[in-house]
Amino acid sequence: MLTQEKYDKIIQTVEDIASSRAADFFEEPPDPAEAARKAFDAAGWPGIDIKTANGIFNFMTGMTFKQYLDSRIMMYAYKCAIEQEHFDSSQLINIAGVSSDSALYKKFKKDFGMSPKEAFEAKDPGLYKAPIFWDSLSAAKQSGFEKASSEKEIKLVHIETVKEIYRTDKRPYRIIAAVLALMIAAGAIAFRLLILSPWKDTYIAFDLLTEEGVSTSRLKRDEIYAIDPYKRTLTVSDPSGSLLFKTRIKLKGNSISWTDEEKSAVSGTLYSDSSIICRITDQSGASERQLRLVPAVLFNELMEAWDGYYEVFECKDDIYASMAYSIQIDVRTSIIIMGAILEDPVYVGNIIYCGPEHLIFSMPELVPDGFLQCNLTGLDSFTVTMLNSDEILYKCFRMSN
């Protein structure tokens, strides 16, 4: 086979793997190493490991092999979504190899900027991207692949910059040294920006309080926090933008610290959901309270995901029966209310933590000595369990926002 034919054979094999995903039963996503071996074997290049495959695909497509394979699976899922006569998320879950509606929603949002149902309704073929075959590559990438494949066994050609300069550039060494120094400096700056970038954001603040033995999360309505990791500053402003407080911060890994306007020591940790949990200790060290900073964008997403009225169903022997109860969630006030639809009683709970997939709350009248946890199962539903338990007590379905 010609080089072009070999490359297209690799891409076509990946496409065949993606488009063979079953819609009527669940199967785990394909193993990237096994899929890479199959694709390169089909092109007559046996024995290619996943590391080499990643390097080749990164050069040719700008993605690792796994990223490219995942993108083709999602493109197939999108194609199936817009071709469905009736929307069926379970088929798309099976194709994508994800565990839930919420996981499918996140993937569609990331790849296509819309939910699976929105994709089904829009039926926009313009969002579908074709496989990256040879004819869609630049001349430089085609040349690079031909060079790499000219050896008896294909290998990734790692171009070591300094050696390349020595081979192709006959100018004095000081020019080479200057170029190398600039590259190192640029790399160091890029690395520093990469490390610091997760901190840069505008945050909504919550006080995490315990009052009379009841824990709650209370929105600080008059304070908006902003962190600039490059200038090492934290500012607090009111909703109109007027500056209330500004201070220097210290950053180390996923830890942050500063001194607040009351001269109390604040030390925080950046969590995987992009929120920051801080401990505040006064000057005497005698009292301590907590503060949670939630990125403004995430806060809006949390309200969209959780706020609303839900009908409550009780789970018994894997069968759900309506309880004639409703749950109302209001992230902004950190309140969750459970009440009978037609009559009393009404239980009021306090939201302690609200995240993209889980919400933790206390409801002393219902559960005196513990906490309850809501777990998103889709765009409009969640289950309720005891904290850190898998036993489903209730399942709730959205009635309105």
Side-chain angles (χ1 to χ4, degrees):
M1 285 188 286
L2 299 175
T3 301
Q4 175 182 349
E5 293 173 338
K6 290 181 177 182
Y7 173 81
D8 283 345
K9 187 66 175 177
I10 294 170
I11 297 298
Q12 185 58 55
T13 304
V14 174
E15 199 66 18
D16 292 343
I17 292 171
S19 61
S20 66
R21 299 283 297 167
D24 54 354
F25 63 89
F26 180 81
E27 58 181 334
E28 295 291 338
D31 177 62
E34 177 61 24
R37 182 198 61 75
K38 184 176 180 180
F40 282 87
D41 280 359
W45 281 312
I48 297 299
D49 58 33
I50 188 63
K51 183 177 179 181
T52 302
N54 282 339
I56 293 169
F57 266 75
N58 193 41
F59 174 72
M60 301 300 286
T61 70
M63 294 176 275
T64 66
F65 181 86
K66 181 181 185 306
Q67 290 169 339
Y68 182 79
L69 175 60
D70 288 346
S71 73
R72 298 315 305 165
I73 291 173
M74 288 308 299
M75 281 298 164
Y76 179 59
Y78 178 81
K79 182 174 181 288
C80 291
I82 66 176
E83 291 177 353
Q84 286 181 336
E85 292 186 8
H86 306 285
F87 179 69
D88 186 348
S89 64
S90 64
Q91 291 186 351
L92 306 180
I93 286 175
N94 291 336
I95 292 170
V98 295
S99 59
S100 65
D101 282 321
S102 60
L104 180 72
Y105 173 83
K106 286 183 179 180
K107 277 186 168 288
F108 263 73
K109 271 288 187 180
K110 178 182 176 183
D111 290 0
F112 309 111
M114 63 179 69
S115 69
K117 190 170 184 180
E118 289 170 338
F120 164 77
E121 293 170 346
K123 297 190 182 301
D124 181 6
L127 292 179
Y128 179 84
K129 296 180 182 178
I132 305 178
F133 284 114
W134 182 265
D135 290 342
S136 64
L137 297 173
S138 66
K141 289 188 176 182
Q142 291 177 351
S143 176
F145 189 79
E146 287 177 337
K147 180 179 179 182
S149 62
S150 64
E151 305 292 335
K152 292 182 179 179
E153 292 185 1
I154 188 169
K155 61 182 180 178
L156 175 65
V157 180
H158 292 287
I159 301 175
E160 298 181 37
T161 306
V162 178
K163 292 182 179 179
E164 186 68 14
I165 293 174
Y166 269 106
R167 287 196 295 269
T168 61
D169 198 332
K170 304 302 182 183
R171 286 176 292 179
Y173 171 77
R174 64 178 179 273
I175 297 178
I176 298 173
V179 171
L180 181 58
L182 287 173
M183 291 177 63
I184 292 173
I189 293 172
F191 180 74
R192 179 173 178 270
L193 294 177
L194 180 65
I195 293 297
L196 295 177
S197 59
W199 292 99
K200 185 174 178 60
D201 220 324
T202 300
Y203 297 85
I204 306 299
F206 288 87
D207 272 324
L208 306 180
L209 307 171
T210 300
E211 297 175 342
E212 299 180 355
V214 178
S215 299
T216 186
S217 174
R218 185 173 299 166
L219 176 67
K220 295 170 73 74
R221 296 177 178 274
D222 298 328
E223 295 183 3
I224 297 174
Y225 286 64
I227 294 176
D228 188 333
Y230 312 123
K231 296 181 179 179
R232 294 292 202 279
T233 59
L234 175 141
T235 57
V236 183
S237 306
D238 65 21
S240 69
S242 298
L243 181 66
L244 301 175
F245 175 70
K246 184 175 183 179
T247 188
R248 298 284 294 175
I249 58 174
K250 294 181 181 178
L251 294 173
K252 184 177 181 181
N254 67 336
S255 298
I256 185 172
S257 61
W258 71 89
T259 301
D260 68 13
E261 66 271 30
E262 298 175 354
K263 305 302 179 184
S264 297
V266 184
S267 59
T269 301
L270 180 66
Y271 284 81
S272 58
D273 66 356
S274 300
S275 67
I276 304 171
I277 303 293
C278 305
R279 294 184 179 274
I280 305 175
T281 308
D282 65 17
Q283 291 177 285
S284 67
S287 65
E288 185 178 88
R289 57 190 178 89
Q290 287 187 307
L291 178 75
R292 183 183 182 210
L293 302 180
V294 179
V297 172
L298 174 61
F299 179 68
N300 291 331
E301 292 176 356
L302 296 180
M303 289 195 295
E304 181 179 350
W306 291 103
D307 278 1
Y309 289 86
Y310 299 80
E311 185 175 0
V312 182
F313 290 77
E314 188 174 18
C315 179
K316 288 185 178 180
D317 300 323
D318 295 327
I319 297 175
Y320 292 100
S322 176
M323 295 178 62
Y325 269 75
S326 68
I327 281 182
Q328 178 188 355
I329 296 177
D330 190 330
V331 173
R332 186 176 292 277
T333 62
S334 298
I335 294 294
I336 181 167
I337 300 173
M338 180 174 177
I341 293 176
L342 299 178
E343 56 185 23
D344 292 335
V346 173
Y347 305 106
V348 178
N350 297 293
I351 297 173
I352 300 166
Y353 166 83
C354 184
E357 295 184 357
H358 306 289
L359 181 150
I360 299 171
F361 67 99
S362 64
M363 193 170 278
E365 291 179 287
L366 194 62
V367 181
D369 301 318
F371 297 100
L372 293 163
Q373 177 171 307
C374 301
N375 311 285
L376 276 182
T377 56
L379 297 180
D380 298 306
S381 65
F382 61 84
T383 58
V384 179
T385 65
M386 293 297 295
L387 182 61
N388 298 325
S389 171
D390 294 328
E391 182 182 355
I392 297 174
L393 304 176
Y394 314 113
K395 187 158 187 179
C396 305
F397 296 88
R398 192 192 299 270
M399 295 187 293
S400 66
N401 292 326

